[in-house]
Amino acid sequence: MILGIISAMSEELELLLKDMDIKEETKRANMTFYKGTLGDKDIIAVVCGIGKVNAAVCSQILISEFNVTSIINVGVAGGIGKDIYPGDVVVGTNLVQHDMDTTAFGDPHGQIPRLDTFDFKCDKTLVKAALDACEEIKEINTFSGRIISGDQFISSVDKIKWFEEEFKAMACEMEGASIAQVCYLNNVPCVVIRSISDNANNGAHMDYEKFIPIAVRNSTIILKNMLNKI
Ligand code: ADE
């Protein structure tokens, strides 16, 4: 088993990298792939950059060049819904690209035209391991459900209301669904673990700056605990 671990930003991966025993660094597509171990797990960890294209390129490199057997995407997200707060963790069960729009042809929002699935499902075993890890860390509030991705930082009450109605999503971010799509196309299992940095409403960018450290701390705690279970 070789695990690929992707974060969009360096601050999202730094706590994990500190704990990893790094044996080799390889540059591809302007990204640094850190090959090493954490405990008894072989890991390739990488910061892919923000947005769906970076995330897709990175995922395909992990699969084609580094032969990872599964991918975990870890980082922060905007929370959707009134019961979810900064620091809470969402384990994605399925992902949708909210900015894909071919509704003019009768497709639902988010549907990638001519693809045989609407959402990209996370691997059941990985989701269970993540949820088991969450269960043990009582001080972190956890949720599981749909996470949606798009090339937009969301800071609008109207937009999150629409996300709730249209997608029944728990969190929004900018990479997970493209990683999940690449994994789907390659038949590689994946899971997305995100901690909430803001509520994607007006002023989200200020909450984001404030809560990013606690969100990164929490998503890393869950990820590290999860690694003991797979
Ligand atoms: N990642 C963290 N917060 C986000 C937001 N509000 N929109 C998109 N991605 C995010």
Side-chain angles (χ1 to χ4, degrees):
M1 177 168 67
I2 308 173
L3 282 175
I5 299 181
I6 304 178
S7 291
M9 304 182 296
S10 55
E11 54 268 46
E12 293 175 302
L13 198 66
E14 71 186 355
L15 297 180
L16 188 88
L17 283 180
K18 264 190 203 153
D19 284 356
M20 257 179 82
D21 182 9
I22 297 168
K23 301 199 170 79
E24 205 178 314
E25 293 181 22
T26 311
K27 272 212 157 200
R28 289 282 183 279
N30 208 32
M31 301 166 196
T32 305
F33 293 78
Y34 299 93
K35 184 175 182 175
T37 53
L38 188 64
D40 62 348
K41 297 291 173 313
D42 290 322
I43 289 173
I44 315 281
V46 52
V47 173
C48 70
I50 294 168
K52 293 186 293 153
V53 173
N54 282 326
V57 167
C58 181
S59 305
Q60 191 62 56
I61 292 173
L62 278 175
I63 295 167
S64 301
E65 281 203 46
F66 291 92
N67 301 312
V68 298
T69 48
S70 44
I71 291 184
I72 302 173
N73 172 219
V74 65
V76 302
I80 300 175
K82 61 177 174 33
D83 298 325
I84 193 158
Y85 295 101
D88 292 352
V89 165
V90 180
V91 176
T93 52
N94 66 97
L95 290 102
V96 174
Q97 291 168 29
H98 65 72
D99 56 353
M100 175 55 78
D101 181 355
T102 54
T103 52
F105 293 97
D107 293 328
H109 277 282
Q111 172 68 49
I112 294 170
R114 305 185 187 198
L115 199 65
D116 59 354
T117 185
F118 173 69
D119 60 350
F120 299 105
K121 292 174 183 58
C122 292
D123 178 71
K124 285 199 170 67
T125 309
L126 293 175
V127 169
K128 184 175 183 310
L131 289 175
D132 287 350
C134 293
E135 181 79 31
E136 284 176 6
I137 316 282
K138 298 276 181 250
E139 65 274 20
I140 301 176
N141 223 0
T142 54
F143 297 83
S144 65
R146 176 172 289 168
I147 297 176
I148 53 177
S149 314
D151 287 322
Q152 299 161 0
F153 183 84
I154 306 299
S155 56
S156 146
V157 171
D158 288 346
K159 195 108 197 202
I160 45 173
K161 269 198 192 132
W162 181 69
F163 282 170
E164 259 189 301
E165 286 162 17
E166 182 74 28
F167 297 109
K168 313 271 178 284
M170 315 233 51
C172 60
E173 35 83 315
M174 303 176 71
E175 297 82 21
S178 77
I179 293 169
Q181 182 180 353
V182 173
C183 286
Y184 175 78
L185 296 175
N186 290 273
N187 207 15
V188 167
C190 76
V191 68
V192 178
I193 302 170
R194 296 275 182 163
S195 180
I196 302 305
S197 55
D198 57 82
N199 280 88
N201 49 16
N202 308 354
H205 62 290
M206 288 185 294
D207 287 344
Y208 176 84
E209 300 290 350
K210 180 169 165 196
F211 291 114
I212 214 163
I214 179 79
V216 169
R217 176 186 162 272
N218 288 357
S219 58
T220 310
I221 288 173
I222 299 297
L223 172 63
K224 279 168 53 184
N225 195 28
M226 177 194 170
L227 293 181
N228 299 323
K229 304 186 183 305
I230 50 177

